[in-house]
Amino acid sequence: MCIRDSFGCVAVLEADTAYLHINPIPEPIILSSLDASCPPLVTTVSNGTRADHSGQCTWDYGNGLISNRCEAQELTYTEAGTYTLRLTVRTPQGCEDSTKKEVMVHPFPIADFKVDGKPTIIESDIKVRDQSSLAVSHYYTTTFGKETDDAEPRFQLPYQDTGTYYITQVVETQFGCMDTITKRVFVQ
């Protein structure tokens, strides 16, 4: 007689035997080197299931890729989002179970700002208006020697001269993802 339980475990009973051996259900464990990062997130995932419980593995990486390899594998996620890893383990006796783990790729902020007005050598006050998105911190540097971490700074040109100057904005998210933009300012 052959018995299969709801977990897929199989046991064979011989007619003259009164003993029943129940095979253990595997307890899959997903190990990963990195669970969250800015893109690209590069992580090594491995099967941490007990060796005697791990006959066959099926990985779903949450990005459309599937693998049947049980050994460690390096994955790269280039797009922001939450990816659900799923590991299904089947023992040599046919018992099967699965587990899930999330990997989060945080989005980059988008650096952007606007310079209000048109500075001249007479009116040399430069007002910057932040237009970045997803940023929680801002940092500005200029080619005329000014620096600040104000979100919307006001710069005064240190000398009365026409020309092209540059302002650079560096923005960062709460997760440490960064973006930079540099814009020209013409002083007439």
Tab-separated table of all heavy atoms in Angstrom, residues 89-133:
chain	number	residue	atom	x	y	z
A	89	VAL	N	11.656	23.251	-1.695
A	89	VAL	CA	12.586	22.141	-1.489
A	89	VAL	C	11.792	20.840	-1.443
A	89	VAL	O	10.755	20.760	-0.782
A	89	VAL	CB	13.384	22.337	-0.172
A	89	VAL	CG1	14.251	21.125	0.113
A	89	VAL	CG2	14.230	23.594	-0.241
A	90	ARG	N	12.300	19.840	-2.164
A	90	ARG	CA	11.702	18.502	-2.179
A	90	ARG	C	12.757	17.508	-1.715
A	90	ARG	O	13.851	17.462	-2.241
A	90	ARG	CB	11.244	18.148	-3.577
A	90	ARG	CG	10.527	16.817	-3.666
A	90	ARG	CD	10.347	16.396	-5.096
A	90	ARG	NE	9.108	16.455	-5.776
A	90	ARG	CZ	7.896	16.181	-5.356
A	90	ARG	NH1	7.715	15.885	-4.116
A	90	ARG	NH2	6.844	16.214	-6.120
A	91	THR	N	12.402	16.728	-0.674
A	91	THR	CA	13.342	15.742	-0.142
A	91	THR	C	13.428	14.543	-1.086
A	91	THR	O	12.549	14.357	-1.936
A	91	THR	CB	12.895	15.241	1.254
A	91	THR	OG1	11.668	14.520	1.099
A	91	THR	CG2	12.725	16.386	2.237
A	92	PRO	N	14.450	13.716	-0.916
A	92	PRO	CA	14.538	12.493	-1.731
A	92	PRO	C	13.323	11.576	-1.544
A	92	PRO	O	12.993	10.787	-2.422
A	92	PRO	CB	15.821	11.820	-1.231
A	92	PRO	CG	16.650	12.944	-0.706
A	92	PRO	CD	15.664	13.908	-0.113
A	93	GLN	N	12.631	11.697	-0.407
A	93	GLN	CA	11.443	10.871	-0.151
A	93	GLN	C	10.173	11.477	-0.735
A	93	GLN	O	9.101	10.902	-0.615
A	93	GLN	CB	11.254	10.667	1.360
A	93	GLN	CG	12.365	9.901	2.038
A	93	GLN	CD	13.580	10.770	2.322
A	93	GLN	OE1	13.478	11.985	2.454
A	93	GLN	NE2	14.743	10.135	2.387
A	94	GLY	N	10.269	12.670	-1.337
A	94	GLY	CA	9.105	13.283	-1.985
A	94	GLY	C	8.360	14.304	-1.152
A	94	GLY	O	7.340	14.832	-1.585
A	95	CYS	N	8.837	14.609	0.047
A	95	CYS	CA	8.185	15.625	0.873
A	95	CYS	C	8.620	17.007	0.379
A	95	CYS	O	9.772	17.202	0.008
A	95	CYS	CB	8.559	15.447	2.340
A	95	CYS	SG	8.114	13.829	3.006
A	96	GLU	N	7.706	17.950	0.408
A	96	GLU	CA	7.976	19.264	-0.193
A	96	GLU	C	7.406	20.388	0.658
A	96	GLU	O	6.336	20.259	1.233
A	96	GLU	CB	7.334	19.294	-1.585
A	96	GLU	CG	7.571	20.547	-2.370
A	96	GLU	CD	6.958	20.444	-3.752
A	96	GLU	OE1	7.438	19.644	-4.568
A	96	GLU	OE2	5.989	21.184	-4.006
A	97	ASP	N	8.137	21.508	0.706
A	97	ASP	CA	7.642	22.722	1.348
A	97	ASP	C	8.385	23.901	0.727
A	97	ASP	O	9.384	23.715	0.016
A	97	ASP	CB	7.860	22.690	2.863
A	97	ASP	CG	6.940	23.664	3.611
A	97	ASP	OD1	6.097	24.336	2.960
A	97	ASP	OD2	7.061	23.762	4.847
A	98	SER	N	7.888	25.110	0.989
A	98	SER	CA	8.525	26.301	0.408
A	98	SER	C	8.516	27.444	1.404
A	98	SER	O	7.799	27.416	2.400
A	98	SER	CB	7.817	26.713	-0.885
A	98	SER	OG	6.484	27.067	-0.626
A	99	THR	N	9.333	28.449	1.113
A	99	THR	CA	9.410	29.651	1.934
A	99	THR	C	9.642	30.844	1.024
A	99	THR	O	10.049	30.688	-0.130
A	99	THR	CB	10.520	29.532	2.995
A	99	THR	OG1	10.413	30.627	3.906
A	99	THR	CG2	11.905	29.543	2.366
A	100	LYS	N	9.383	32.031	1.550
A	100	LYS	CA	9.550	33.275	0.784
A	100	LYS	C	10.419	34.256	1.559
A	100	LYS	O	10.473	34.216	2.784
A	100	LYS	CB	8.197	33.952	0.546
A	100	LYS	CG	7.228	33.165	-0.268
A	100	LYS	CD	5.921	33.931	-0.368
A	100	LYS	CE	4.852	33.105	-1.063
A	100	LYS	NZ	3.578	33.833	-1.103
A	101	LYS	N	11.067	35.150	0.813
A	101	LYS	CA	11.844	36.232	1.414
A	101	LYS	C	11.820	37.405	0.440
A	101	LYS	O	11.967	37.220	-0.758
A	101	LYS	CB	13.280	35.780	1.658
A	101	LYS	CG	14.134	36.821	2.346
A	101	LYS	CD	15.504	36.252	2.678
A	101	LYS	CE	16.256	37.185	3.586
A	101	LYS	NZ	17.515	36.608	4.036
A	102	GLU	N	11.657	38.611	0.982
A	102	GLU	CA	11.621	39.796	0.124
A	102	GLU	C	12.986	40.462	0.025
A	102	GLU	O	13.738	40.518	0.990
A	102	GLU	CB	10.604	40.813	0.639
A	102	GLU	CG	9.184	40.374	0.421
A	102	GLU	CD	8.172	41.460	0.738
A	102	GLU	OE1	8.528	42.475	1.379
A	102	GLU	OE2	7.002	41.289	0.345
A	103	VAL	N	13.272	40.970	-1.179
A	103	VAL	CA	14.461	41.761	-1.459
A	103	VAL	C	13.954	43.100	-1.984
A	103	VAL	O	13.106	43.138	-2.874
A	103	VAL	CB	15.353	41.073	-2.516
A	103	VAL	CG1	16.482	41.975	-2.941
A	103	VAL	CG2	15.886	39.760	-1.977
A	104	MET	N	14.443	44.208	-1.406
A	104	MET	CA	13.949	45.526	-1.818
A	104	MET	C	15.058	46.336	-2.484
A	104	MET	O	16.127	46.512	-1.920
A	104	MET	CB	13.400	46.295	-0.627
A	104	MET	CG	12.891	47.682	-1.013
A	104	MET	SD	11.948	48.468	0.282
A	104	MET	CE	10.411	47.597	0.105
A	105	VAL	N	14.745	46.825	-3.676
A	105	VAL	CA	15.645	47.715	-4.403
A	105	VAL	C	15.037	49.111	-4.305
A	105	VAL	O	13.960	49.371	-4.850
A	105	VAL	CB	15.808	47.280	-5.877
A	105	VAL	CG1	16.788	48.199	-6.585
A	105	VAL	CG2	16.248	45.819	-5.967
A	106	HIS	N	15.724	49.988	-3.578
A	106	HIS	CA	15.211	51.337	-3.351
A	106	HIS	C	15.433	52.202	-4.590
A	106	HIS	O	16.449	52.079	-5.264
A	106	HIS	CB	15.920	51.984	-2.158
A	106	HIS	CG	15.749	51.220	-0.893
A	106	HIS	ND1	14.538	51.065	-0.263
A	106	HIS	CD2	16.646	50.538	-0.133
A	106	HIS	CE1	14.695	50.343	0.818
A	106	HIS	NE2	15.965	50.007	0.920
A	107	PRO	N	14.502	53.096	-4.887
A	107	PRO	CA	14.661	53.956	-6.066
A	107	PRO	C	15.680	55.071	-5.835
A	107	PRO	O	15.922	55.482	-4.705
A	107	PRO	CB	13.258	54.551	-6.257
A	107	PRO	CG	12.676	54.564	-4.879
A	107	PRO	CD	13.238	53.346	-4.179
A	108	PHE	N	16.263	55.513	-6.940
A	108	PHE	CA	17.133	56.680	-6.885
A	108	PHE	C	16.274	57.928	-6.798
A	108	PHE	O	15.182	57.984	-7.360
A	108	PHE	CB	17.980	56.798	-8.163
A	108	PHE	CG	19.162	55.883	-8.195
A	108	PHE	CD1	19.217	54.848	-9.110
A	108	PHE	CD2	20.217	56.055	-7.321
A	108	PHE	CE1	20.313	54.010	-9.151
A	108	PHE	CE2	21.315	55.223	-7.348
A	108	PHE	CZ	21.360	54.184	-8.274
A	109	PRO	N	16.765	58.967	-6.127
A	109	PRO	CA	16.082	60.257	-6.207
A	109	PRO	C	16.388	60.869	-7.572
A	109	PRO	O	17.246	60.367	-8.303
A	109	PRO	CB	16.747	61.072	-5.092
A	109	PRO	CG	18.137	60.524	-5.030
A	109	PRO	CD	17.997	59.050	-5.338
A	110	ILE	N	15.700	61.919	-7.884
A	110	ILE	CA	15.984	62.648	-9.127
A	110	ILE	C	16.386	64.061	-8.733
A	110	ILE	O	15.585	64.815	-8.180
A	110	ILE	CB	14.766	62.667	-10.069
A	110	ILE	CG1	14.402	61.225	-10.437
A	110	ILE	CG2	15.051	63.515	-11.301
A	110	ILE	CD1	13.114	61.071	-11.185
A	111	ALA	N	17.649	64.389	-8.992
A	111	ALA	CA	18.160	65.724	-8.672
A	111	ALA	C	17.647	66.706	-9.727
A	111	ALA	O	17.660	66.408	-10.920
A	111	ALA	CB	19.683	65.715	-8.654
A	112	ASP	N	17.191	67.853	-9.269
A	112	ASP	CA	16.779	68.914	-10.191
A	112	ASP	C	16.548	70.190	-9.383
A	112	ASP	O	16.101	70.136	-8.237
A	112	ASP	CB	15.503	68.536	-10.944
A	112	ASP	CG	15.266	69.447	-12.148
A	112	ASP	OD1	16.212	70.138	-12.594
A	112	ASP	OD2	14.132	69.467	-12.649
A	113	PHE	N	16.867	71.293	-9.986
A	113	PHE	CA	16.608	72.589	-9.366
A	113	PHE	C	16.469	73.637	-10.466
A	113	PHE	O	16.810	73.400	-11.618
A	113	PHE	CB	17.716	72.979	-8.383
A	113	PHE	CG	19.066	73.200	-9.009
A	113	PHE	CD1	19.470	74.475	-9.426
A	113	PHE	CD2	19.960	72.150	-9.167
A	113	PHE	CE1	20.716	74.677	-9.989
A	113	PHE	CE2	21.210	72.343	-9.727
A	113	PHE	CZ	21.593	73.605	-10.137
A	114	LYS	N	15.949	74.769	-10.078
A	114	LYS	CA	15.757	75.884	-11.000
A	114	LYS	C	16.369	77.127	-10.370
A	114	LYS	O	16.266	77.319	-9.156
A	114	LYS	CB	14.264	76.097	-11.243
A	114	LYS	CG	13.950	77.221	-12.187
A	114	LYS	CD	12.448	77.359	-12.374
A	114	LYS	CE	12.188	78.532	-13.313
A	114	LYS	NZ	10.768	78.769	-13.495
A	115	VAL	N	17.008	77.932	-11.189
A	115	VAL	CA	17.543	79.207	-10.730
A	115	VAL	C	16.516	80.269	-11.076
A	115	VAL	O	16.145	80.430	-12.237
A	115	VAL	CB	18.903	79.519	-11.390
A	115	VAL	CG1	19.380	80.907	-10.982
A	115	VAL	CG2	19.927	78.459	-11.019
A	116	ASP	N	16.021	80.977	-10.040
A	116	ASP	CA	15.024	82.020	-10.263
A	116	ASP	C	15.690	83.277	-10.809
A	116	ASP	O	16.753	83.686	-10.332
A	116	ASP	CB	14.294	82.363	-8.961
A	116	ASP	CG	13.296	81.291	-8.578
A	116	ASP	OD1	12.915	80.484	-9.444
A	116	ASP	OD2	12.883	81.259	-7.402
A	117	GLY	N	15.046	83.879	-11.788
A	117	GLY	CA	15.529	85.144	-12.338
A	117	GLY	C	16.784	84.970	-13.175
A	117	GLY	O	17.236	83.861	-13.447
A	118	LYS	N	17.333	86.113	-13.593
A	118	LYS	CA	18.560	86.142	-14.391
A	118	LYS	C	19.549	87.056	-13.685
A	118	LYS	O	19.427	88.271	-13.750
A	118	LYS	CB	18.265	86.642	-15.798
A	118	LYS	CG	17.354	85.706	-16.558
A	118	LYS	CD	17.141	86.159	-17.968
A	118	LYS	CE	16.171	85.201	-18.638
A	118	LYS	NZ	16.261	85.201	-20.041
A	119	PRO	N	20.526	86.454	-13.007
A	119	PRO	CA	21.469	87.282	-12.254
A	119	PRO	C	22.317	88.162	-13.177
A	119	PRO	O	22.665	87.779	-14.282
A	119	PRO	CB	22.326	86.268	-11.511
A	119	PRO	CG	22.044	84.947	-12.112
A	119	PRO	CD	20.778	85.040	-12.869
A	120	THR	N	22.620	89.338	-12.670
A	120	THR	CA	23.492	90.272	-13.392
A	120	THR	C	24.586	90.719	-12.434
A	120	THR	O	24.539	90.432	-11.238
A	120	THR	CB	22.696	91.508	-13.867
A	120	THR	OG1	22.258	92.236	-12.716
A	120	THR	CG2	21.500	91.120	-14.718
A	121	ILE	N	25.558	91.459	-12.950
A	121	ILE	CA	26.617	91.938	-12.061
A	121	ILE	C	26.073	92.957	-11.070
A	121	ILE	O	26.641	93.155	-10.000
A	121	ILE	CB	27.830	92.498	-12.842
A	121	ILE	CG1	27.415	93.620	-13.763
A	121	ILE	CG2	28.527	91.404	-13.576
A	121	ILE	CD1	28.592	94.319	-14.423
A	122	ILE	N	24.940	93.560	-11.408
A	122	ILE	CA	24.327	94.526	-10.495
A	122	ILE	C	23.438	93.792	-9.482
A	122	ILE	O	23.482	94.058	-8.296
A	122	ILE	CB	23.507	95.574	-11.279
A	122	ILE	CG1	24.448	96.364	-12.166
A	122	ILE	CG2	22.719	96.473	-10.342
A	122	ILE	CD1	23.758	97.256	-13.167
A	123	GLU	N	22.631	92.863	-9.958
A	123	GLU	CA	21.744	92.057	-9.103
A	123	GLU	C	22.301	90.641	-9.061
A	123	GLU	O	21.882	89.773	-9.802
A	123	GLU	CB	20.315	92.069	-9.663
A	123	GLU	CG	19.295	91.355	-8.810
A	123	GLU	CD	19.177	91.897	-7.397
A	123	GLU	OE1	19.075	93.120	-7.220
A	123	GLU	OE2	19.222	91.079	-6.465
A	124	SER	N	23.282	90.416	-8.191
A	124	SER	CA	24.030	89.149	-8.196
A	124	SER	C	23.518	88.124	-7.191
A	124	SER	O	24.214	87.184	-6.858
A	124	SER	CB	25.507	89.427	-7.959
A	124	SER	OG	25.680	90.043	-6.703
A	125	ASP	N	22.290	88.301	-6.724
A	125	ASP	CA	21.678	87.352	-5.803
A	125	ASP	C	21.095	86.193	-6.621
A	125	ASP	O	20.291	86.411	-7.526
A	125	ASP	CB	20.582	88.060	-5.008
A	125	ASP	CG	20.072	87.234	-3.862
A	125	ASP	OD1	20.875	86.518	-3.239
A	125	ASP	OD2	18.860	87.308	-3.586
A	126	ILE	N	21.519	84.979	-6.316
A	126	ILE	CA	21.050	83.809	-7.051
A	126	ILE	C	20.190	82.972	-6.120
A	126	ILE	O	20.673	82.448	-5.114
A	126	ILE	CB	22.238	82.965	-7.570
A	126	ILE	CG1	23.094	83.796	-8.513
A	126	ILE	CG2	21.740	81.700	-8.253
A	126	ILE	CD1	24.368	83.106	-8.933
A	127	LYS	N	18.912	82.832	-6.452
A	127	LYS	CA	17.965	82.038	-5.656
A	127	LYS	C	17.741	80.712	-6.369
A	127	LYS	O	17.427	80.667	-7.548
A	127	LYS	CB	16.643	82.805	-5.526
A	127	LYS	CG	15.513	82.018	-4.901
A	127	LYS	CD	15.643	81.937	-3.397
A	127	LYS	CE	14.384	81.394	-2.766
A	127	LYS	NZ	14.411	80.017	-2.422
A	128	VAL	N	17.948	79.617	-5.635
A	128	VAL	CA	17.779	78.277	-6.187
A	128	VAL	C	16.489	77.680	-5.635
A	128	VAL	O	16.236	77.738	-4.425
A	128	VAL	CB	18.986	77.388	-5.811
A	128	VAL	CG1	18.753	75.950	-6.241
A	128	VAL	CG2	20.258	77.934	-6.435
A	129	ARG	N	15.677	77.114	-6.531
A	129	ARG	CA	14.435	76.450	-6.117
A	129	ARG	C	14.572	74.946	-6.378
A	129	ARG	O	14.783	74.529	-7.515
A	129	ARG	CB	13.244	77.006	-6.875
A	129	ARG	CG	11.945	76.491	-6.326
A	129	ARG	CD	10.704	77.224	-6.777
A	129	ARG	NE	10.943	78.232	-7.773
A	129	ARG	CZ	10.247	78.326	-8.905
A	129	ARG	NH1	9.287	77.474	-9.166
A	129	ARG	NH2	10.497	79.287	-9.766
A	130	ASP	N	14.467	74.167	-5.323
A	130	ASP	CA	14.594	72.714	-5.421
A	130	ASP	C	13.422	72.126	-6.198
A	130	ASP	O	12.268	72.461	-5.954
A	130	ASP	CB	14.642	72.102	-4.023
A	130	ASP	CG	14.668	70.582	-4.050
A	130	ASP	OD1	15.404	70.025	-4.882
A	130	ASP	OD2	13.945	69.967	-3.248
A	131	GLN	N	13.713	71.254	-7.153
A	131	GLN	CA	12.677	70.537	-7.893
A	131	GLN	C	12.990	69.038	-7.927
A	131	GLN	O	12.505	68.323	-8.792
A	131	GLN	CB	12.547	71.100	-9.311
A	131	GLN	CG	12.064	72.538	-9.306
A	131	GLN	CD	11.807	73.077	-10.692
A	131	GLN	OE1	12.552	72.811	-11.633
A	131	GLN	NE2	10.740	73.847	-10.827
A	132	SER	N	13.793	68.598	-6.979
A	132	SER	CA	14.152	67.184	-6.922
A	132	SER	C	12.965	66.362	-6.413
A	132	SER	O	12.016	66.900	-5.857
A	132	SER	CB	15.361	66.975	-6.006
A	132	SER	OG	15.027	67.306	-4.672
A	133	SER	N	13.055	65.050	-6.610
A	133	SER	CA	12.016	64.169	-6.070
A	133	SER	C	12.674	63.024	-5.295
A	133	SER	O	13.788	62.604	-5.616
A	133	SER	CB	11.127	63.623	-7.185
A	133	SER	OG	11.884	62.893	-8.115
